[in-house]
């Protein structure tokens, strides 16, 4: 996963804390290895739902059918949604919520073909066979839940439009890391994220071209490329979409697993992932012009990837520190194709067969 700026010097104490707490693939500027940075979920042997830092514990089986329409009945809610831990369900608020919050039953009554699964006190949203993480915890109310208006506008309403978020079929595929910026190291050996992202991109390019897409790769060999350069390449190409490919790490935890897809946090909403960066909800970035298209693109890719590889669904998430996304003048997403810190996933990622399935999964989103 890319970081927006080079980490500054840290004390030994902070360094130890970072190693203890952080997760995610290595930054693109500082070289090699590390990998865990405050703000990510801490190492853990399972993924309990927590109010402050929701994680996804949905089944690993993928949705049965891919082409999208949300008008199809949604699959059964995830176990985590159906049976939330009792200690995360808040009591009815003692003061009335803001009047602009939206009743879920009213929203679904206006959109009868859509059946989102949402639980009070949990940011997990299940819709159309994939998980997304809300910006705000829904509030309990009589017979339904209340949703923050930004979640309705930025996470639910965009998915009512199942048409493709493109017109010309031109895309930039960005293999994360490269050169001295190796990304995270695989737990099972001495290979690095940069090799796997490049191979994923090389496999994806011909699949997209066969569907009539014009494809630009930000790098085609093992070179270091800054995040601003990746954005500049997208600018120069004139492509209408941008997809960055990465693999994840939660080292030293070896249990974190699954797929994540990121897009830029809409203005006014807190991010799912902040790492050590200040997350200013009032900030507005160039890519925020594409909030609706971002989540539509993320949802298509995430859902198709789940179907192609059958891994745990960790959800569509939001971050605003990623320069490679927020400076984009086009819809842009970042995909984490599994955990190199998880021995089981690492062994799969190390196989060409798995990377081909990752490529097919992304390509299927561009039909
Ligand atoms: Zn990465």
């Amino acid at each position: 996963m890319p970081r927006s700026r080079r980490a500054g010097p840290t004390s030994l104490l902070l360094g130890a804390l970072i190693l203890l707490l952080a997760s995610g693939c290595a930054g693109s500027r500082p070289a090699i290895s590390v990998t865990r940075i405050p703000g990510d979920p801490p190492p853990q042997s399972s993924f309990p739902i927590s109010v402050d830092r929701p994680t996804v514990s949905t089944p690993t089986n993928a949705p049965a059918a891919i082409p999208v329409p949300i008008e199809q009945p949604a699959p059964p809610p995830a176990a985590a949604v159906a049976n939330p831990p009792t200690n995360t369900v808040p009591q009815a608020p003692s003061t009335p919520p803001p009047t602009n919050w939206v009743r879920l039953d009213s929203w679904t009554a206006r959109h009868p073909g859509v059946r989102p699964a949402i639980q009070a006190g949990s940011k997990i949203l299940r819709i159309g066979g994939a998980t997304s993480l809300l910006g705000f915890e829904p509030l309990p109310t009589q017979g339904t839940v209340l949703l923050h208006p930004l979640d309705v506008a930025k996470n639910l309403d965009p998915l009512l439009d199942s048409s493709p978020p493109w017109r010309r079929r031109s895309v930039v595929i960005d293999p994360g890391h490269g050169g001295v910026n190796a990304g995270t190291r695989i737990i099972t050996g001495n290979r690095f994220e940069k090799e796997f992202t490049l191979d994923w991109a090389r496999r994806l390019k011909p699949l997209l071209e066969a569907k009539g897409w014009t494809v630009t790769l930000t790098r085609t060999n093992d070179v270091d490329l800054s995040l601003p350069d990746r954005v500049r390449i997208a600018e120069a190409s004139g492509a209408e979409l941008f997809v960055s490919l990465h693999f994840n790490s939660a080292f030293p935890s070896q249990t974190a697993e699954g797929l994540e897809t990121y897009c830029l946090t809409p203005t006014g909403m807190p991010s799912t992932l902040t790492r050590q960066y200040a997350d200013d909800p009032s900030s507005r970035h160039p890519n925020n012009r594409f909030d609706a298209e971002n989540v539509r693109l993320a949802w298509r890719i995430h859902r198709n990837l789940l179907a192609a590889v059958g891994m745990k669904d960790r959800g569509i998430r939001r971050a605003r520190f990623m320069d490679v996304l927020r400076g984009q003048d086009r819809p842009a997403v970042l995909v984490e194709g599994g955990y190199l810190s998880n021995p089981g996933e690492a062994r799969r990622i190390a196989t060409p067969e798995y990377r081909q399935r990752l490529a097919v999964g992304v390509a299927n989103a561009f039909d």
Side-chain angles (χ1 to χ4, degrees):
M1 172 176 309
R3 287 156 43 193
S4 66
R5 55 183 163 81
R6 187 188 298 270
T10 56
S11 69
L12 290 176
L13 183 60
L14 180 57
L17 189 65
I18 286 173
L19 286 173
L20 193 63
L21 294 179
S23 73
C25 66
S28 70
R29 292 284 84 206
I32 322 238
S33 72
V34 184
T35 57
R36 315 206 51 189
I37 305 189
D40 276 5
Q44 49 196 356
S45 56
S46 62
F47 296 93
I49 297 175
S50 105
V51 169
D52 291 327
R53 190 172 286 132
T55 53
V56 180
S57 54
T58 52
T60 56
N61 52 317
I66 309 245
V68 185
I70 14 191
E71 288 71 21
Q72 295 176 353
V81 175
N83 302 295
T86 53
N87 64 354
T88 65
V89 179
Q91 301 302 307
S94 55
T95 56
T99 55
N100 61 342
W101 284 52
V102 179
R103 288 180 63 99
L104 176 60
D105 58 358
S106 300
W107 188 89
T108 54
R110 291 195 301 275
H111 311 291
V114 188
R115 293 193 303 186
I118 302 175
Q119 195 86 30
S122 167
K123 292 182 180 176
I124 294 176
L125 157 67
R126 289 278 299 171
I127 186 167
T131 299
S132 183
L133 293 175
L134 298 169
F136 302 88
E137 292 163 15
L139 300 173
T141 192
Q142 288 182 332
T144 186
V145 297
L146 295 169
L147 301 171
H148 192 286
L150 263 181
D151 276 322
V152 174
K154 301 295 185 178
N155 280 320
L156 278 176
D157 285 349
L159 298 182
L160 296 171
D161 182 356
S162 59
S163 64
W166 61 75
R167 293 179 181 171
R168 292 181 287 105
R169 292 190 171 243
S170 58
V171 62
V172 171
I173 302 297
D174 174 44
H177 311 276
V180 297
N181 170 20
T184 194
R185 190 174 74 175
I186 194 168
I187 189 75
T188 52
N190 198 34
R191 300 169 72 184
F192 290 88
E193 181 184 0
K194 64 174 184 176
E195 168 195 343
F196 302 126
T197 59
L198 180 58
D199 184 74
W200 183 1
R202 284 174 168 166
R203 293 172 182 277
L204 175 56
K205 185 172 189 283
L207 295 176
L208 289 172
E209 288 173 340
K211 298 173 190 282
W213 283 80
T214 300
V215 181
T216 302
L217 300 187
T218 54
R219 67 182 179 95
T220 56
N221 51 31
D222 185 22
V223 296
D224 186 17
L225 198 60
S226 73
L227 299 179
D229 279 346
R230 295 170 198 258
V231 178
R232 279 191 280 273
I233 289 170
E235 283 297 315
S237 75
E240 58 184 340
L241 301 173
F242 182 93
V243 180
S244 191
L245 305 178
H246 288 257
F247 291 94
N248 229 328
S249 174
F251 186 83
S253 167
Q254 299 187 11
T255 55
E257 59 178 331
L259 301 173
E260 296 176 344
T261 302
Y262 283 89
C263 48
L264 179 64
T265 315
T267 300
M269 184 180 286
S271 292
T272 318
L273 177 65
T274 57
R275 292 203 167 165
Q276 80 273 38
Y277 299 100
D279 186 53
D280 178 6
S282 69
S283 62
R284 183 178 300 277
H285 300 284
N287 185 250
N288 280 126
R289 279 207 304 130
F290 303 97
D291 283 343
E293 293 85 354
N294 286 343
V295 75
R296 285 166 57 202
L297 178 62
W299 193 71
R300 290 177 75 96
I301 291 176
H302 193 72
R303 192 171 186 275
N304 280 280
L305 265 176
L306 289 171
V309 302
M311 288 166 68
K312 180 188 277 270
D313 176 6
R314 293 177 60 87
I316 297 164
R317 295 163 173 244
R318 304 291 195 160
R320 56 168 54 90
F321 65 83
M322 300 173 177
D323 268 350
V324 79
L325 295 185
R326 68 187 192 181
Q328 294 283 354
D329 191 26
R330 60 194 53 73
V333 301
L334 184 149
V335 183
E336 298 274 7
Y339 277 79
L340 291 171
S341 52
N342 178 304
E345 289 199 355
R347 278 190 284 273
R348 294 183 69 187
I349 294 166
T351 66
E353 292 77 16
Y354 178 77
R355 298 195 297 274
Q356 184 66 24
R357 288 169 67 183
L358 284 174
V360 168
V362 176
N364 286 344
F366 289 79
D367 282 331

